[in-house]
Amino acid sequence: MTDRYGVIGNPIGHSKSPWIHAAFARQTGEDMTYDAILAPLDGFDAAVRAFRAAGGRGLNVTVPFKLQAAALCDDRSERAREAGAVNTLRFDATGAFGDNTDGAGLVADITRRLGVTLGGARVLLLGAGGAARGVIGPLLRERPAELRLANRTVDKALDLERQFAAEGPIAAGGYDALAGRAFDVVVNATSASLAGLVLPLPRGLYAPRALAYDMVYGDRPTTFLEQARATGAATLADGLGMLVAQAAESFWLWRGVRPDTAPVIARLRAS
Ligand code: NDP
């Protein structure tokens, strides 16, 4: 029987996940379907129960249900626990297992596809929301020389510094504390680019050969990437690669097969 998967959220019409997983299934010859599921804002648990009762094997979870997904799991991965949010559910005889593949997706896109080494690098992470929280553990496990956090609301960044202090060299502050500092990798995990806003970043932020990475993606370079280009970043990347790489990580959790992300990213970009 064909195995059923899907992505659940509200809204969900914009999701690229059905297209991405259909491409992975074709590429790997896996016998599966993958649908977009719109859950009512007050009906997430019921929608998941109905999906499981109909034989569903796994779900991706998107806005605004990632925290509720974490609450309904019988068991969670370490990276889902530290992120405090679940974007992947797997259902089997032992129950519902929750994972968070965002951080692994970011690290895979930076190291494998873009060929940038995070080990020993000076890394700056902008933002302290859900996306930032999800990638800190995976970034620290790459053993950077330092992981600097900067956020508009400084207290949120300081909270994350405290949470992850035992995991590696992490320090947090506001944007004004970045003056005079240079980084090899700068990751934008704020949603400022979505609104076309420019972050108050000082000049001289980018070391020679530095990578600027925006988790936001779109048809055109984001405001953050435009600013990075103008202020000396050598390599620019948006979050489309992360989107496909986190999907590949979910696919691996469900099917035990790793799809090749490069052709899928290329086709998405072209379309
Ligand atoms: P949250 O709402 O949880 O956090 C938003 C963050 O952006 C906060 O740190 C907030 O700062 C900051 N921010 C918002 N507006 C501004 C501004 N004008 N100036 C400075 N900082 C600002 O969102 P998420 O963390 O869930 O998502 C962040 C972005 O990452 C989204 O755009 C999302 O689309 C993207 N994303 C991409 C993924 C991918 O696969 N490519 C995966 C996950 C997320 P403050 O705390 O001060 O409010």
Side-chain angles (χ1 to χ4, degrees):
M1 213 174 93
T2 302
D3 291 332
R4 286 187 61 204
Y5 297 88
V7 58
I8 187 166
N10 186 332
I12 200 62
H14 65 288
S15 176
K16 297 187 194 307
S17 293
W19 190 93
I20 293 170
H21 283 278
F24 287 167
R26 269 196 309 278
Q27 185 196 99
T28 59
E30 293 291 302
D31 184 15
M32 59 185 277
T33 62
Y34 187 107
D35 300 308
I37 300 165
L38 177 69
L41 290 174
D42 60 353
F44 174 70
D45 285 18
V48 172
R49 268 198 305 279
F51 180 79
R52 289 179 75 176
R57 299 285 301 274
L59 286 171
N60 283 129
V61 182
T62 186
V63 176
F65 298 127
K66 290 185 183 183
L67 300 184
Q68 286 179 64
L72 69 69
C73 295
D74 299 299
D75 191 16
R76 278 186 289 167
S77 66
E78 175 57 27
R79 58 195 188 186
R81 259 191 286 274
E82 66 190 12
V86 156
N87 77 341
T88 308
L89 290 164
R90 184 185 64 200
F91 308 120
D92 59 23
T94 63
F97 178 75
D99 199 357
N100 189 310
T101 62
D102 280 342
L106 175 70
V107 167
D109 199 42
I110 290 177
T111 59
R112 285 192 229 148
R113 187 175 71 90
L114 297 170
V116 173
T117 304
L118 289 167
R122 295 162 293 175
V123 180
L124 170 62
L125 180 63
L126 305 170
R133 179 187 294 272
V135 302
I136 292 172
L139 284 173
L140 284 174
R141 285 190 278 281
E142 294 296 304
R143 299 188 171 276
E146 67 168 312
L147 177 58
R148 179 84 198 178
L149 306 183
N151 194 45
R152 178 177 61 181
T153 310
V154 179
D155 282 350
K156 281 168 67 178
L158 292 171
D159 283 347
L160 290 178
E161 179 193 309
R162 276 189 287 277
Q163 181 189 334
F164 288 93
E167 313 296 325
I170 185 169
Y175 289 108
D176 48 359
L178 298 174
R181 309 285 315 277
F183 295 90
D184 306 299
V185 176
V186 180
V187 176
N188 180 23
T190 77
S191 49
S193 288
L194 286 179
L197 297 169
V198 177
L199 294 170
L201 300 174
R203 289 199 160 267
L205 194 66
Y206 293 95
R209 293 184 299 282
L211 166 69
Y213 193 106
D214 198 342
M215 286 194 191
V216 173
Y217 51 85
D219 300 340
R220 286 172 297 153
T222 65
T223 45
F224 168 76
L225 293 178
E226 294 284 15
Q227 182 186 21
R229 192 204 317 264
T231 52
T235 307
L236 308 177
D238 73 10
L240 192 68
M242 174 181 173
L243 176 78
V244 176
Q246 62 79 24
E249 197 71 19
S250 298
F251 196 88
W252 160 255
L253 181 78
W254 294 328
R255 310 300 297 181
V257 180
R258 267 192 202 285
D260 182 3
T261 57
V264 178
I265 294 168
R267 282 181 54 206
L268 262 183
R269 185 76 70 194
S271 70

